[in-house]
Amino acid sequence: MLKVSVAAIAICFSLIGHVYAASCEAIISKQVTQALLGKNPRAGLETYLTKKLSKPRYFEDGKCTSPAKDLNLYPGVLYHDCSYENGGLHGWARVAIIPPAMIAGWIDNACRSKGAKCIAGVTAYSWCSNQLSFPIAANIIEPGSAGGGNDAGSHNFIFLHGITVPRPAWIGATQDLDAAVQAKNLAPLSDVEEPTTLTSQVARPAGIRREIYSEFAPEPKLTNIGTSCPIADRNPVWFDAARRSLLDAWAKPQNNMFVALAKALEDGKNPGRVSCSP
């Protein structure tokens, strides 16, 4: 019988994930480049994103509430609550509704003077990373490999303020839990400003980790956000950085997370998740 080590399986799934991301980014980059031809870059990108986001993303492809903007920690920010099914599991997600025009403005501003290649690259990276989403409090169902695991099956990933958090005891990794139960547990977290739980590495919608924010985001920016590795050094202040970046950029032309992403990609740096040594 052929024996395959757990490490080998993990490496295999990691490679598959990287291949998928590269393929996705190549496709989206080409589409965006075509959309910008002969047009004002921002207008072309807005048209592209409007069409792209006119179809519900999978975590919104179910029953969603009417848009509201009454969250204490997100004044003025539109959001809706969605119950959905993906990969045989049920999920619930409270997600910010970011208008395509606003996202296009952020990316265009971040890529100012850098040209269409930058716009295409930033858009492709963020879309393939997280479909330009900001889960305020949510269970986003993804393959286990998305979190660095070695399982391609559907897993529950809990998000707070745009960042993955450790899965709480009330839901298992592959448990199919009723969406109403999830809503009861997740919705109150929207009002928790400074959770004590450890965060994951990457903040949505730009999809960058702490080190990219620290190195490339313009001032003013939060400090003492910790580092991605080791895991124990992931300071929860990263929640504030993600939430405040969205709030500060809402209905404004600049989002510092996207500015940092554009600079990192220009420097040839990986802006996303990195592997931490055991």
Side-chain angles (χ1 to χ4, degrees):
M1 182 181 292
L2 179 64
K3 294 183 179 180
V4 182
S5 70
V6 172
I9 293 174
I11 291 171
C12 178
F13 278 110
S14 176
L15 289 173
I16 291 172
H18 286 303
V19 170
Y20 165 77
S23 175
C24 175
E25 288 181 37
I27 292 170
I28 300 299
S29 180
K30 183 177 180 180
Q31 291 176 351
V32 173
T33 300
Q34 289 293 322
L36 300 183
L37 289 176
K39 296 181 181 178
N40 172 280
R42 177 171 175 171
L45 181 59
E46 182 178 340
T47 298
Y48 174 81
L49 290 177
T50 298
K51 183 178 180 180
K52 192 80 172 169
L53 292 168
S54 66
K55 300 177 182 178
R57 294 166 290 192
Y58 73 90
F59 43 82
E60 297 169 311
D61 194 11
K63 183 179 180 181
C64 295
T65 60
S66 298
K69 48 181 178 179
D70 56 4
L71 295 178
N72 293 332
L73 294 182
Y74 291 88
V77 174
L78 280 172
Y79 74 95
H80 56 191
D81 299 341
C82 298
S83 300
Y84 70 100
E85 183 178 359
N86 186 53
L89 301 180
H90 288 82
W92 182 89
R94 173 166 288 170
V95 186
I97 304 173
I98 310 175
M102 196 180 299
I103 300 175
W106 292 341
I107 296 175
D108 178 60
N109 179 280
C111 289
R112 188 154 294 170
S113 79
K114 295 182 178 69
K117 183 179 179 180
C118 173
I119 293 175
V122 168
T123 305
Y125 171 80
S126 295
W127 179 266
C128 297
S129 169
N130 59 73
Q131 298 186 37
L132 290 165
S133 65
F134 188 91
I136 295 171
N139 173 21
I140 302 296
I141 300 166
E142 297 181 327
S145 55
N150 55 12
D151 184 359
S154 298
H155 282 58
N156 298 306
F157 286 93
I158 306 304
F159 282 78
L160 182 59
H161 304 317
I163 304 170
T164 315
V165 298
R167 192 178 297 105
W170 53 264
I171 186 169
T174 58
Q175 180 182 1
D176 185 18
L177 188 63
D178 186 80
V181 176
Q182 297 181 42
K184 183 178 179 180
N185 285 279
L186 289 170
L189 299 180
S190 301
D191 294 324
V192 179
E193 184 171 2
E194 295 183 357
T196 56
T197 184
L198 291 174
T199 68
S200 187
Q201 296 187 36
V202 172
R204 299 184 176 195
I208 64 171
R209 66 182 188 279
R210 293 168 172 79
E211 290 81 2
I212 299 302
Y213 171 86
S214 295
E215 182 174 356
F216 295 109
E219 297 290 351
K221 56 188 171 185
L222 295 181
T223 57
N224 192 34
I225 59 176
T227 58
S228 296
C229 301
I231 294 174
D233 287 349
R234 297 176 185 177
N235 196 307
V237 173
W238 188 223
F239 283 122
D240 282 340
R243 183 177 62 86
R244 291 184 188 181
S245 291
L246 183 74
L247 285 175
D248 291 345
W250 196 261
K252 296 184 179 70
Q254 179 168 303
N255 183 315
N256 287 349
M257 291 285 193
F258 281 96
V259 173
L261 171 59
K263 290 180 179 178
L265 291 177
E266 186 179 33
D267 272 20
K269 293 192 174 182
N270 166 31
R273 196 178 71 83
V274 294
S275 296
C276 296
S277 301

